[in-house]
Amino acid sequence: MEGGAGRGLECQKTMDGRANDGNGPEKEIPSCCLKARASIPELDAKCHSTVVSGWFSDAPSSTDKPCKQVYFNNPMWPGEAHSLKVEKILFQDKSDYQEVLVFESLAYGKVLVLDGIVQLTEKDECAYQEMITHLPLCSIPSPKTVLVVGGGDGAVLREICRHGSVEHIDICEIDKMVIDVSKKFFPELAIGFDDPRVNLHVGDAVEFLKNVPRGKYDAIIVDSSDPVGPAQELVEKPFFETIARALRTGGVLCNMAESMWLHTHLIEDMISICRETFKGSVHYAWTSVPTYPSGVIGFLLCSTEGPPVDFINPVNPIEKVEGAGKQCRELRFYNTEMHSAAFALPTFLRREVRSLRH
Ligand code: SPD
């Protein structure tokens, strides 16, 4: 399963970064030159359809397509692709649901890719995981019961665990391979699974939610992949209805909601479904994630009928959250100012997404 992305480079240097051309003593190579050498085109990363000439591009994966061809035609972002220089492919396999790839990149650390689409990188995962978690949990006082849909890498769990008020966390992830791969290659993220408050359910969240008692959760976080493949149902009305049913009155949902640069129609559809389904408030927020298509990702924040939720002015600021950051690394991205700023929307989005105007 291991690929050969970095092999050519490793043949030319020793583990401590010294070069040996066979004509004399080893010479020290400055780290900037090591980076430049990693970009030599002949050091091709081979044997994955999304990796061409040592560069990964976020195009749909397909095992039947030969290497060395470029497919810049993802239906979610036709005509564009974002590329990362690959140093070494660490893992690739096909689960029952999707193709799973992990590689070491030159610029963003290790990268998790599902069906050809970047899910996270070590460098910028903080922006996504911290915002999708703390936008909802800092908007209600003392959240106690939380459900995560998807999130098999464990990083949203890691973030939830900062909240000392939380007593019970369910996570429903369909693909066990994602969990196993995260535990092996991303221990700083998968640490979330170690918390005793976490209850793991491997299975289909749509089915799981049908059996959840009404009003069980204070907050639900939907950390899904894009709505192609296994996550397709997660943007449809019946799914949002089961979410609303599983939330207590005044409970909150935070749902991954794509890019405002690429998916205004999808965002509009999701907002209008949520306005029909959630009788409290519905807001759109966004953050910057450089390795996601167009460099941004959005979140839909909804509350059920009941005590009104002021999403924009958090009532449970993380700075005051008991135990925040004690078990894991410090927060890197989220703070109260970023929270409120995330709800500021560009004019084109307000104009194009009619349901955002009121
Ligand atoms: N376009 C990519 C969206 C990925 C959202 N899910 C990421 C999972 C990280 N926990």
Side-chain angles (χ1 to χ4, degrees):
M1 273 188 287
E2 297 243 330
R7 266 183 218 149
L9 179 63
E10 282 163 14
C11 293
Q12 295 168 51
K13 67 176 176 67
T14 59
M15 291 299 282
D16 64 356
R18 287 172 175 277
N20 192 337
D21 57 9
N23 292 323
E26 292 176 351
K27 295 175 207 120
E28 188 78 39
I29 301 175
S31 62
C32 57
C33 296
L34 283 175
K35 288 198 170 188
R37 293 188 85 175
S39 302
I40 295 169
E42 62 267 27
L43 305 179
D44 282 359
K46 294 188 177 73
C47 300
H48 195 275
S49 59
T50 55
V51 178
V52 178
S53 297
W55 287 81
F56 163 87
S57 294
D58 50 7
S61 58
S62 170
T63 44
D64 57 3
K65 287 173 184 162
C67 296
K68 298 257 179 196
Q69 289 191 41
V70 188
Y71 298 94
F72 295 144
N73 202 27
N74 189 304
M76 292 287 294
W77 38 90
E80 64 181 270
H82 181 247
S83 298
L84 292 169
K85 180 72 187 157
V86 177
E87 292 212 298
K88 184 170 188 173
I89 293 175
L90 301 171
F91 178 88
Q92 55 181 314
D93 200 358
K94 204 161 168 27
S95 73
D96 290 342
Y97 301 96
Q98 55 207 341
E99 195 176 314
V100 181
L101 168 71
V102 179
F103 66 88
E104 182 75 45
S105 69
L106 183 69
Y108 281 84
K110 280 187 274 214
V111 183
L112 173 65
V113 178
L114 299 179
D115 276 347
I117 299 173
V118 171
Q119 300 300 307
L120 59 90
T121 78
E122 285 182 314
K123 181 170 176 175
D124 65 6
E125 60 91 12
C126 58
Y128 177 85
Q129 329 279 6
E130 292 181 18
M131 293 297 269
I132 199 173
T133 305
H134 304 304
L135 287 176
L137 295 191
C138 292
S139 295
I140 53 174
S142 301
K144 290 189 174 56
T145 49
V146 185
L147 168 66
V148 181
V149 172
D153 52 77
V156 168
L157 297 175
R158 176 193 70 199
E159 295 306 315
I160 297 170
C161 291
R162 295 183 195 275
H163 290 258
S165 64
V166 170
E167 295 167 359
H168 181 96
I169 309 165
D170 285 322
I171 175 166
C172 187
E173 162 63 54
I174 199 166
D175 195 343
K176 185 168 181 300
M177 188 182 285
V178 174
I179 300 168
D180 294 341
V181 160
S182 186
K183 287 183 175 172
K184 179 160 184 198
F185 295 102
F186 300 93
E188 271 202 31
L189 284 72
I191 190 174
F193 285 105
D194 297 343
D195 192 284
R197 293 169 288 179
V198 171
N199 301 275
L200 171 62
H201 309 266
V202 176
D204 180 357
V206 174
E207 287 307 310
F208 177 85
L209 275 157
K210 283 182 191 158
N211 299 313
V212 161
R214 181 181 288 274
K216 175 169 182 183
Y217 297 107
D218 296 321
I220 298 179
I221 297 170
V222 180
D223 175 20
S224 61
S225 45
D226 297 292
V228 279
Q232 173 61 44
E233 282 181 278
L234 307 188
V235 291
E236 292 168 1
K237 192 161 198 284
F239 176 70
F240 287 112
E241 286 169 346
T242 56
I243 295 256
R245 190 184 146 278
L247 284 170
R248 67 156 165 86
T249 56
V252 291
L253 162 69
C254 186
N255 203 106
M256 191 278 285
E258 298 298 345
S259 161
M260 62 186 171
W261 292 107
L262 302 169
H263 307 118
T264 45
H265 290 294
L266 179 60
I267 293 167
E268 177 151 29
D269 287 351
M270 289 172 82
I271 291 176
S272 53
I273 289 171
C274 287
R275 281 206 196 280
E276 285 167 25
T277 311
F278 294 88
K279 305 298 180 202
S281 51
V282 176
H283 287 270
Y284 190 79
W286 61 283
T287 193
S288 145
V289 181
T291 55
Y292 284 170
S294 83
V296 301
I297 193 103
F299 308 104
L300 209 49
L301 286 127
C302 311
S303 63
T304 54
E305 203 165 23
V309 176
D310 179 358
F311 282 112
I312 297 163
N313 301 296
V315 291
N316 187 26
I318 194 83
E319 294 85 343
K320 296 193 183 140
V321 167
E322 191 195 326
K326 284 208 180 118
Q327 288 97 342
C328 54
R329 64 154 177 77
E330 292 294 305
L331 287 170
R332 287 193 186 127
F333 194 88
Y334 179 91
N335 57 47
T336 299
E337 289 73 32
M338 293 300 282
H339 181 126
S340 298
F343 292 88
L345 302 181
T347 306
F348 82 86
L349 188 64
R350 289 196 204 160
R351 194 181 295 134
E352 285 174 30
V353 179
R354 278 168 296 144
S355 47
L356 283 171
R357 282 185 217 151
H358 46 83

